[in-house]
Amino acid sequence: MNYTLSQLAKITDAEIVGNPDKKITHIFYDSRTIVNPENGVFIAIQGIHDGHIYMEEAYQKSIRIFICTHIPILHKECSYLVVKNPLKTLQKWAAYHISQFNFPSIGITGSNGKTIIKEWLYQCLWEHFNIVRSPKSYNSQIGLPLSLLQTENDNNLGIFEVGISKPGEMETQEQIFHPQIGVLTNVLSAHSEYFTNKSELINEKIKLFIHSHIIIYNNDNKEVEKIIRENYKHKKLISFGHQNAYIQLIRINTSLKEPQIEISILEEKVTFTIPFTDEASIQNILCIIAVLHSLEFSPQFMQEKFLQLQTVSMRLELIKGNHNCILINDTFNSDFTSLEIALNFLFQQNKPNKILILSDILQSQTPEKELYHKIAKRINTFQINSVFLVGECLNKYRNLFQGSIYCFLSTNELINHLDNYIMKDAAILLKGARKFELEKVAAHLEVQSHDTIMEINLHSLMTNINYFQSLLKPKTKIIAMVKASSYGIGSFEVAEVLQYYHIDYLAVAIADEGALLRKKGIYLPIMVMNPEISSYDTVIDYQLEPEIYSFRVLEKFISKLKEKSISGKYPIHIKIDTGMHRLGFNFEQMTQLGLFLKDNPFVEVKSIFSHFVASDDLSEEEFTRKQAEELKKCYESLIAEISYTPFLHICNTTGIINYPEYQFDAVRIGIGMYGYVDSTKAMKNLENVVTLKTVISNLHYLKKGETVGYGRRFKAKKDCIIATLPIGYADGIRRLVGNEVGYVLLNGQKAPIIGSICMDMMMINVTDISCKEGDSVIILGESPSLREYANWCQTIPYEILTSISPRVKRVYYRE
């Protein structure tokens, strides 16, 4: 992509302010992701946040070209493209750009499976085509245009994901991109508030295929079959599925050492050996067969490629490393585009040192010399402290790289020398092809290695926050609760993401939690909800903002400010007791409190707040409303005395859902961030954030009558197979879930927990489940859900999350 501002103005019918000859080679729409601003344009997109607010931040990061509806601050050295709608301008630009190329294109839409099918197609076809494809899961109204704008002159096949979230969006997407081959993976039930039923969702998704020559779809869904045939009967339709399909699955044979599927292609029977046998993978492989068949590849070609298929990771993992380092594990993709994304992610980490460990790039049709010149040029634009290169090609072109460069021919050679290098307080990106097994480097550098891990999806966490934010007025602040180590998930890791996304406030329970965040580089305002008097030194030293709930603590805090000779007014938060009866001032104290605070030279009230007692219990609506009105009354009385207006807040997560009229100036979001709220409607819009996983340590066979575990509480009623998992009550697993009360998820199937939970182990019954030692097991996640698990334990989801032991390794990742 290489446009001048004048070319872009002509394409999009826009007005230029400034130099029309400036070149554009990079696009930014999020000021936080700006790392290499040279020839970059910032597009002020108006969504949940108005991008114009962040134009000045982009300017401070050396952006000098902007696309905007108006110019908040005119800088003489900058150039501006003034338009009616920045998003529509981006889409119009992408539509023009892709129209300049004439090569086959594949558009993939559906409820899930889009990214896996795209990546598996790439794995099958990269040696035969120079492919441009969507990075990661870029498929939205913004993501699709950005994907299309990657297209270059040497590309000869395009594979793009196309997603929607509401009616009307697919029509826009199709105006930008007209795929010759349209793929519909599947359509799940409509969970979105924007679609009334599944039929409406199907009709919206298939609008992508208006100009397609070939349409590929799963005909197991008869509603999909009916709607596609009604709308596109004159196009070439290739269905895949279990019955009466163009590509039809006949049988699956998993009893062999290498599993096989038998299919028919227009009644011609073919057998394929496949690497994956779960239901979703088989459906995806059938879809791949349909696409490859439409491109006229033979079954022999397909078989060769299927044996090479690798699992697809759609995430960047964050792992704690030794010496206060963090590891970014992206050892799943090996191409230039994913390298660029990973480098940007590396520079979003709040660490003073940046280190790159990179292997040869294998999946590319770009000539070797051109490829490594391009890679070196891109890496050299980043301020990387040390670069470790692994592989023969990178060694050959080592002189292209600038800075501290270390070269190794193999991963084992690198590992043998790693201890000779100081890696301290650094963000370390591991990026490379699977052949090089850079995960061994991650294992060498990480703090602890344990088969039991808690995965935290930071992308889903922000998706949940965005959902709650969509329910708020534009000026309502968000206070994110990160107390108790963010409900057991990880205080700094979550706080850093929240800071990155410009959350207004953080709240912790005690001063030490806030001090830890400050030491880790968190600069957001932090409210301490329960500061002990003995912790006031810590509060002040780390610029934390205490909750004040009585005259005694107010006087003690002011005494500490005097003792430490703090000049200026220190921010405090006034707690009002409206019915919780734990802590707080009451209405009768407002006049006295107001007189005490009026013109007080030591403190300034930042907020006045209270706690809802039962916002999740609609039978207590009268009491809840009484609480809100009591808070308003106290607030009005207090501000009448102090003559300024702190912000007001009472809503927690369920308060936002059930009592939106009481969102006031701010809301406090806690467990809602992590994917749970006591509301069936809201839960449909939330994503699971936490997945607790382990592996099978051992399989053993029980004969009828034999027992398992302490107390012999499980007795086999017939011969069976038992799996032992390396997780127990010392990791936070409650003994209440044993003895067939709970289950775990193994290869997509429920395996009941049997016998008593041990300190470090638990057992499950896997008699009817195909599995082996080392297979992954989900203890807690989407299924069983947090709510379901809490019910087994006769408690609440909060207690379950906060009780997962610190010895369980936390792995953070973003899609």
Side-chain angles (χ1 to χ4, degrees):
M1 181 188 70
N2 195 334
Y3 287 81
T4 64
L5 203 60
S6 60
Q7 288 174 320
L8 188 53
K10 186 176 180 181
I11 292 166
T12 60
D13 191 27
E15 175 191 350
I16 298 175
V17 176
N19 181 0
D21 297 324
K22 283 195 172 180
K23 289 185 178 180
I24 300 171
T25 58
H26 291 85
I27 298 171
F28 301 99
Y29 66 94
D30 186 334
S31 60
R32 296 160 302 197
T33 64
I34 297 170
V35 177
N36 291 296
E38 186 179 2
N39 296 329
V41 60
F42 179 78
I43 305 181
I45 291 173
Q46 295 159 300
I48 294 177
H49 299 289
D50 185 348
H52 293 80
I53 297 170
Y54 304 105
M55 285 174 62
E56 191 61 20
E57 182 181 336
Y59 172 78
Q60 295 299 329
K61 292 184 175 181
S62 299
I63 290 291
R64 295 295 180 261
I65 310 172
F66 297 88
I67 297 176
C68 51
T69 62
H70 61 281
I71 304 172
I73 300 174
L74 179 64
H75 296 283
K76 291 182 179 179
E77 70 271 35
C78 293
S79 296
Y80 303 86
L81 205 63
V82 181
V83 300
K84 291 181 180 178
N85 185 316
L87 176 58
K88 295 294 182 187
T89 298
L90 173 65
Q91 293 169 337
K92 191 172 183 179
W93 181 9
Y96 170 83
H97 183 74
I98 197 66
S99 71
Q100 304 307 297
F101 302 92
N102 183 23
F103 53 68
S105 60
I106 301 169
I108 307 170
T109 190
S111 295
N112 56 21
K114 297 185 290 293
T115 303
I116 291 174
I117 288 171
K118 176 198 69 187
E119 292 299 323
W120 276 359
L121 283 171
Y122 181 80
Q123 290 180 24
C124 290
L125 297 172
W126 73 269
E127 292 177 296
H128 298 266
F129 295 96
N130 193 320
I131 299 171
V132 56
R133 73 195 196 281
S134 306
K136 299 291 181 179
S137 299
Y138 282 28
N139 58 47
S140 66
Q141 299 282 292
I142 299 173
L144 177 61
L146 292 175
S147 300
L148 297 173
L149 284 165
Q150 291 183 118
T151 308
E152 297 179 349
N153 291 329
D154 55 354
N155 295 130
N156 54 15
L157 177 65
I159 310 175
F160 300 103
E161 296 181 47
V162 186
I164 57 169
S165 59
K166 61 180 71 172
E169 287 188 344
M170 189 60 86
E171 187 174 348
T172 300
Q173 300 282 61
E174 200 280 332
Q175 288 171 358
I176 303 168
F177 171 53
H178 323 303
Q180 294 175 352
I181 300 173
V183 177
L184 180 65
T185 59
N186 56 34
V187 180
L188 303 178
S189 298
H191 291 301
S192 170
E193 59 184 302
Y194 298 108
F195 293 98
T196 55
N197 54 52
K198 191 173 182 178
S199 177
E200 183 184 8
L201 183 59
I202 295 168
N203 276 292
E204 181 69 19
K205 286 185 179 292
I206 68 169
K207 288 178 182 177
L208 177 64
F209 308 144
I210 292 172
H211 294 95
S212 300
H213 306 310
I214 299 170
I215 299 174
I216 294 168
Y217 65 97
N218 184 347
N219 79 333
D220 288 339
N221 186 324
K222 297 310 171 188
E223 195 172 1
V224 168
E225 167 92 359
K226 178 176 179 292
I227 291 172
I228 284 183
R229 291 198 174 275
E230 285 174 352
N231 286 272
Y232 296 122
K233 58 186 176 183
H234 299 301
K235 296 182 183 290
K236 182 174 182 180
L237 304 179
I238 301 180
S239 60
F240 61 91
H242 290 76
Q243 291 184 341
N244 303 317
Y246 190 109
I247 309 291
Q248 184 170 320
L249 179 65
I250 299 172
R251 67 176 57 87
I252 307 168
N253 189 345
T254 58
S255 61
L256 302 173
K257 185 177 180 181
E258 295 182 314
Q260 292 182 338
I261 57 170
E262 184 179 344
I263 68 162
S264 64
I265 304 177
L266 276 182
E267 300 183 354
E268 178 186 348
K269 292 185 178 180
V270 183
T271 299
F272 291 113
T273 300
I274 57 173
F276 311 108
T277 57
D278 61 282
E279 186 177 340
S281 294
I282 290 173
Q283 178 177 298
N284 292 335
I285 286 173
L286 292 176
C287 183
I288 298 293
I289 292 170
V291 176
L292 295 178
H293 175 76
S294 72
L295 292 171
E296 300 183 350
F297 285 98
S298 69
Q300 291 77 18
F301 171 87
M302 297 181 203
Q303 177 62 91
E304 177 188 339
K305 296 302 177 183
F306 290 166
L307 292 174
Q308 300 170 11
L309 284 182
Q310 297 176 335
T311 55
V312 175
S313 176
M314 293 168 282
R315 67 198 205 182
L316 290 158
E317 289 183 347
L318 280 171
I319 305 168
K320 286 185 179 180
N322 293 310
H323 310 299
N324 200 32
C325 291
I326 56 170
L327 311 177
I328 304 168
N329 184 11
D330 191 24
T331 58
F332 311 106
N333 297 294
S334 177
D335 62 272
F336 181 79
T337 300
S338 65
L339 170 62
E340 201 162 28
I341 291 170
L343 285 169
N344 281 311
F345 186 65
L346 171 65
F347 276 81
Q348 292 167 22
Q349 307 311 309
N350 185 25
K351 290 289 182 182
N353 300 311
K354 305 293 190 295
I355 295 172
L356 170 64
I357 299 175
L358 176 70
S359 80
D360 286 349
I361 300 293
L362 300 184
Q363 293 182 331
S364 176
Q365 271 214 334
T366 305
E368 182 183 288
K369 185 176 180 180
E370 180 184 341
L371 173 65
Y372 287 100
H373 272 77
K374 185 178 178 183
I375 289 169
K377 183 180 179 181
R378 196 73 183 114
I379 289 173
N380 290 341
T381 61
F382 290 84
Q383 297 294 317
I384 299 177
N385 299 83
S386 302
V387 179
F388 294 80
L389 304 174
V390 182
E392 293 182 3
C393 289
L394 282 168
N395 270 261
K396 188 191 302 185
Y397 297 100
R398 62 189 297 173
N399 293 331
L400 298 175
F401 296 86
Q402 299 170 1
S404 300
I405 308 299
Y406 308 95
C407 295
F408 304 91
L409 290 173
S410 70
T411 301
N412 286 337
E413 184 185 351
L414 167 64
I415 291 171
N416 290 336
H417 288 82
L418 269 180
D419 292 338
N420 298 329
Y421 303 98
I422 297 173
M423 294 186 180
K424 184 178 180 182
D425 204 22
I428 305 169
L429 170 62
L430 293 94
K431 177 68 185 159
R434 291 180 188 241
K435 169 187 171 182
F436 288 90
E437 298 181 310
L438 291 184
E439 61 271 18
K440 291 180 179 178
V441 180
H444 183 83
L445 295 174
E446 66 183 278
V447 167
Q448 52 182 318
S449 183
H450 188 26
D451 287 334
T452 297
I453 62 172
M454 181 197 285
E455 292 185 341
I456 295 96
N457 187 332
L458 299 175
H459 176 83
S460 292
L461 183 143
M462 287 314 304
T463 297
N464 295 341
I465 289 178
N466 286 337
Y467 165 68
F468 287 106
Q469 193 164 43
S470 72
L471 305 177
L472 304 176
K473 299 169 188 173
K475 293 185 178 180
T476 302
K477 298 178 187 294
I478 291 180
I479 303 167
M481 307 301 294
V482 293
K483 62 181 182 176
S485 192
S486 297
Y487 294 32
I489 289 171
S491 58
F492 164 67
E493 293 81 4
V494 171
E496 186 176 42
V497 172
L498 296 172
Q499 179 169 276
Y500 177 75
Y501 283 98
H502 301 301
I503 290 296
D504 301 286
Y505 253 88
L506 302 178
V508 296
I510 59 175
D512 284 347
E513 292 178 329
L516 176 63
L517 294 180
R518 288 283 187 253
K519 290 174 185 176
K520 294 282 191 176
I522 299 301
Y523 52 79
L524 285 178
I526 300 175
M527 184 189 308
V528 184
M529 306 294 282
N530 187 26
E532 301 96 334
I533 291 172
S534 61
S535 72
Y536 285 166
D537 279 310
T538 301
V539 168
I540 296 167
D541 290 345
Y542 289 96
Q543 297 177 300
L544 309 175
E545 301 179 12
E547 168 191 310
I548 300 295
Y549 52 83
S550 73
F551 285 109
R552 182 178 73 95
V553 299
L554 179 55
E555 290 166 356
K556 291 282 188 183
F557 187 69
I558 289 175
S559 294
K560 182 59 69 173
L561 291 171
K562 292 176 180 178
E563 177 189 319
K564 297 179 78 69
S565 301
I566 300 299
S567 60
K569 294 187 174 185
Y570 199 94
I572 62 172
H573 299 263
I574 297 296
K575 170 69 177 295
I576 306 296
D577 180 12
T578 58
M580 182 74 79
H581 298 319
R582 297 188 306 192
L583 302 170
F585 294 95
N586 57 44
F587 179 72
E588 286 71 26
Q589 296 172 301
M590 288 300 100
T591 300
Q592 182 185 354
L593 179 60
L595 290 171
F596 188 95
L597 293 170
K598 184 177 182 179
D599 300 323
N600 189 293
F602 300 103
V603 294
E604 178 184 31
V605 181
K606 295 294 288 187
S607 83
I608 300 170
F609 72 102
S610 188
H611 280 83
F612 275 144
V613 172
S615 60
D616 58 337
D617 186 353
L618 294 179
S619 68
E620 294 286 355
E621 180 179 354
E622 182 180 353
F623 185 84
T624 301
R625 293 190 181 280
K626 182 180 176 183
Q627 277 193 278
E629 295 305 319
E630 179 73 9
L631 176 62
K632 286 167 66 178
K633 186 171 70 168
C634 291
Y635 179 78
E636 289 163 2
S637 175
L638 190 55
I639 65 172
E641 295 293 341
I642 64 176
S643 301
Y644 59 92
T645 54
F647 66 88
L648 180 67
H649 52 105
I650 191 171
C651 270
N652 56 359
T653 298
T654 49
I656 297 168
I657 302 294
N658 295 332
Y659 300 97
E661 65 271 34
Y662 296 134
Q663 62 183 255
F664 298 139
D665 302 307
V667 296
R668 302 189 300 272
I669 298 180
I671 202 165
M673 291 192 295
Y674 311 119
Y676 178 77
V677 62
D678 195 4
S679 164
T680 303
K681 179 183 177 182
M683 280 297 291
K684 291 180 180 179
N685 295 285
L686 299 184
E687 295 184 2
N688 180 63
V689 172
V690 177
T691 303
L692 182 61
K693 302 170 71 173
T694 190
V695 298
I696 295 176
S697 295
N698 182 245
L699 289 171
H700 46 276
Y701 298 85
L702 253 64
K703 293 181 180 179
K704 180 180 178 180
E706 290 186 319
T707 61
V708 170
Y710 290 116
R712 306 187 70 202
R713 289 189 173 86
F714 175 81
K715 182 177 287 187
K717 296 177 182 177
K718 59 180 182 180
D719 292 354
C720 56
I721 305 172
I722 303 304
T724 301
L725 312 179
I727 184 172
Y729 58 75
D731 300 292
I733 303 301
R734 302 295 183 85
R735 284 171 58 84
L736 284 168
V737 304
N739 300 316
E740 300 180 281
V741 170
Y743 68 86
V744 299
L745 205 65
L746 170 61
N747 294 333
Q749 298 184 63
K750 295 179 179 180
I753 300 168
I754 59 170
S756 298
I757 303 293
C758 309
M759 181 179 288
D760 309 296
M761 286 177 280
M762 58 189 280
M763 286 69 71
I764 57 174
N765 191 335
V766 298
T767 305
D768 300 317
I769 301 174
S770 176
C771 61
K772 62 185 182 300
E773 292 177 2
D775 278 1
S776 180
V777 179
I778 294 176
I779 306 296
L780 172 67
E782 289 194 12
S783 178
S785 69
L786 186 57
R787 174 76 269 175
E788 190 174 11
Y789 193 93
N791 287 341
W792 296 339
C793 298
Q794 302 167 34
T795 187
I796 56 177
Y798 300 80
E799 188 177 353
I800 297 302
L801 280 182
T802 56
S803 63
I804 296 174
S805 170
R807 81 175 186 175
V808 174
K809 182 173 73 175
R810 272 68 169 167
V811 175
Y812 304 87
Y813 66 94
R814 295 186 189 178
E815 300 293 346

